[in-house]
Amino acid sequence: MSFLIASQIALWIGLLVLGVVCMALARQIGVLHQRIAPAGALSLRQPLKVGDPTPEMTLTALDGSTVQIGGRAGRAQLLLFLSPDCKICDALLPAVRSAQGAERQWLDIVLASDGASYAHAEFVREKNLSKFPYVVSEHLGRSYGVAKLPYAVLIDEAGKLSSTGLVNTREHLESLFVAKETGVSNIQQFLGQVKPRRASAGE
Amino acid sequence: MGDTSLGSAVQSFAAQMATFQAMLLAASAVHKAVRWTHSRNLMRQFAGVPGVLAGTSLGVATVVELAAGALLIVPAYRTSGAALAAFIWTLYLALIVRAIVEGRRDVDCGCSFGPTSRPLGSFQIVRNLVLTALAVFIAWVSAFGGTVPAQGTFVLGGFALLALYGALDHVMALQPLRSGELI
């Protein structure tokens, strides 16, 4: 009997310590979220500004299908500019596949690049990108002022430029979606207007 | 150990949960008292209480929470305390649901122990449903199955459960990640 009581007390103490440790860890994560600046796509100088109507283009993808870029497509469109030689683009592909699944209800993803088509066809085969429309068009890149890769452009359902920027990580890519949802066009604008907040778990 | 029957186990569990709810209600009352001005503003913004009545309403809410907690601790009044606790949780649940229905998900409900990055949603609803169900369970056991006095281990267990509740509260206050596979 005394052993059972002692073990019950020990278990409650263990649970109490566990709860306090969990609370401390969650608090630390909250503090870190507040201290670390949010990761966002870096918006570069570009011919189109956020909110501008995007040029409507009809291009032919590598697989021969027709791809309409811009215009009132009824669904949002993410143009991801990449290159077979770009190692960061390689590292970003799992995030792009993940985003295609997670955001499929409202978003279509189009991969874009320029240069020799055969190199891109090989790239598509090697990286198993056949699920994405893949267009090769220098004109498309120029229209959006793409200078560095990987670069992403998010066009909203009305065909207007929603957000754009250099995307090196999954966080950068997702920041474009968050920008569309919140109406903040880029990381520069966000950092310019953000106010210091208390940590999520701290008073 | 002659008290290992199912009935006494249920009574002990109800007493343990009563101790936890009493501590939670006390913590909630202390939280309101410590952050009085902030809580008074929430009374207006979240609960929709007119400004002149906000302070009085907050005072009443604090006293009722303390009273429910005190009644839950005393075995003879546990049924009344549990019924009062169930009423409190249901009232808060109704206010949360009203805010969600009205599209005010981003309003600060003051129903966690700190600022939260998440809008009102299913977590707050499920949490209050569980708390209400627990209070109803305590009331039912106390009314029809008898009560056992709170023991030292119950108090210890109450602190442990309160710590876990706080941990869950802190975790659910964190900024949510977007859905999708991890890479």
Side-chain angles (χ1 to χ4, degrees):
Chain A
M1 180 72 177
S2 58
F3 169 76
L4 285 176
I5 292 172
S7 69
Q8 193 186 25
I9 290 172
L11 282 172
W12 277 130
I13 290 173
L15 200 62
L16 178 64
V17 171
L18 188 67
V20 171
V21 168
C22 281
M23 201 156 33
L25 283 173
R27 180 189 164 88
Q28 281 302 99
I29 294 171
V31 169
L32 283 173
H33 272 174
Q34 299 302 320
R35 285 188 184 171
I36 299 172
L42 184 66
S43 189
L44 306 175
R45 290 174 68 90
Q46 56 200 317
L48 287 174
K49 291 178 182 171
V50 170
D52 286 353
T54 55
E56 191 170 343
M57 296 182 201
T58 304
L59 303 171
T60 303
L62 283 178
D63 61 2
S65 61
T66 302
V67 181
Q68 185 185 333
I69 309 284
R72 290 178 179 274
R75 280 171 63 83
Q77 217 171 26
L78 179 78
L79 307 181
L80 180 65
F81 293 89
L82 40 65
S83 158
D85 306 325
C86 163
K87 297 297 178 193
I88 299 175
C89 305
D90 256 14
L92 194 64
L93 288 176
V96 177
R97 289 195 188 90
S98 177
Q100 187 196 31
E103 318 291 339
R104 65 181 175 278
Q105 291 188 335
W106 63 278
L107 181 73
D108 294 324
I109 298 180
V110 177
L111 304 183
S113 192
D114 62 1
S117 291
Y118 66 89
H120 294 289
E122 180 61 29
F123 181 58
V124 168
R125 266 195 303 276
E126 189 184 324
K127 301 297 177 188
N128 194 22
L129 299 174
S130 54
K131 288 181 181 173
F132 298 96
Y134 195 119
V135 295
V136 179
S137 165
E138 190 177 334
H139 175 59
L140 180 64
R142 285 186 186 279
S143 301
Y144 289 96
V146 178
K148 294 181 179 179
L149 300 177
Y151 196 84
V153 174
L154 185 62
I155 302 169
D156 69 13
E157 292 81 354
K160 292 181 178 175
L161 188 66
S162 176
S163 54
T164 176
L166 196 62
V167 288
N168 289 331
T169 64
R170 182 191 179 115
E171 282 68 34
H172 292 166
L173 188 66
E174 288 183 347
S175 75
L176 298 180
F177 309 147
V178 175
K180 179 177 181 295
E181 290 163 1
T182 59
V184 179
S185 62
N186 55 44
I187 185 68
Q188 291 98 318
Q189 185 187 345
F190 180 82
L191 290 174
Q193 72 180 37
V194 73
K195 294 175 185 172
R197 290 177 57 197
R198 283 175 298 188
S200 69
E203 287 293 300
Chain B
M1 291 181 65
D3 57 345
T4 53
S5 67
L6 182 62
S8 63
V10 170
Q11 283 176 6
S12 296
F13 179 71
Q16 175 66 81
M17 289 301 117
T19 311
F20 162 62
Q21 290 231 344
M23 288 179 169
L24 183 58
L25 286 162
S28 175
V30 169
H31 186 248
K32 286 182 176 63
V34 169
R35 302 195 66 201
W36 187 262
T37 308
H38 177 72
S39 301
R40 197 174 54 193
N41 291 336
L42 292 183
M43 271 286 174
R44 286 190 290 111
Q45 293 160 4
F46 174 63
V49 176
V52 289
L53 296 174
T56 310
S57 304
L58 182 62
V60 169
T62 306
V63 169
V64 169
E65 283 182 347
L66 283 174
L71 291 172
L72 276 165
I73 292 292
V74 185
Y77 300 109
R78 191 166 291 154
T79 307
S80 308
L84 193 54
F87 170 74
I88 292 169
W89 303 134
T90 308
L91 181 64
Y92 291 163
L93 175 64
L95 290 173
I96 290 168
V97 171
R98 187 184 72 169
I100 292 172
V101 169
E102 289 176 353
R104 297 185 293 129
R105 282 173 177 264
D106 290 323
V107 71
D108 183 359
C109 67
C111 49
S112 62
F113 291 117
T116 175
S117 303
R118 288 179 190 255
L120 289 176
S122 51
F123 168 67
Q124 285 81 11
I125 292 175
V126 171
R127 183 193 62 186
N128 275 52
L129 279 175
V130 169
L131 288 173
T132 307
L134 266 181
V136 170
F137 170 75
I138 295 164
W140 179 71
V141 171
S142 304
F144 301 108
T147 57
V148 292
Q151 299 168 11
T153 55
F154 292 170
V155 176
L156 199 55
F159 276 119
L161 291 173
L162 196 62
L164 285 177
Y165 179 92
L168 182 64
D169 186 60
H170 278 49
V171 168
M172 295 309 292
L174 294 174
Q175 193 173 347
L177 298 173
R178 292 187 80 85
S179 59
E181 298 161 22
L182 295 173
I183 59 166

